[in-house]
Amino acid sequence: MGVGSHFSPGGGVCGEIIEVVEKTIPEIEKMLSSEDTLNSPPSCLFALMWFIHNKADKFRKAENGGTGET
């Protein structure tokens, strides 16, 4: 396989180690509102904040038996 080829589902190239971490919406909100230092790349934190402000309500409605449509 050449450089940039994927070796397993989920990605990672050139020796990258990618760990999938699943969190609930309340867990993400708690993490983002914490006064503790967050040990995550700024791009990850930005993505989480964008999700909370733009998409989380749709997923909350789906979890509560709604259609999830807005």
Side-chain angles (χ1 to χ4, degrees):
M1 292 189 155
V3 175
S5 297
H6 289 269
F7 294 97
S8 63
V13 294
C14 299
E16 288 179 309
I17 298 173
I18 297 176
E19 179 182 359
V20 175
V21 178
E22 295 184 17
K23 292 190 175 287
T24 64
I25 293 171
E27 288 172 329
I28 294 169
E29 291 171 325
K30 182 178 178 182
M31 181 180 87
L32 292 175
S33 65
S34 171
E35 292 186 17
D36 295 335
T37 301
L38 298 173
N39 190 18
S40 293
S43 57
C44 177
L45 297 174
F46 177 81
L48 292 173
M49 289 174 42
W50 180 90
F51 172 80
I52 292 297
H53 290 285
N54 293 289
K55 296 292 182 176
D57 286 340
K58 177 180 177 180
F59 287 89
R60 281 188 187 103
K61 288 177 185 174
E63 288 174 352
N64 293 326
T67 63
E69 301 291 325
T70 55

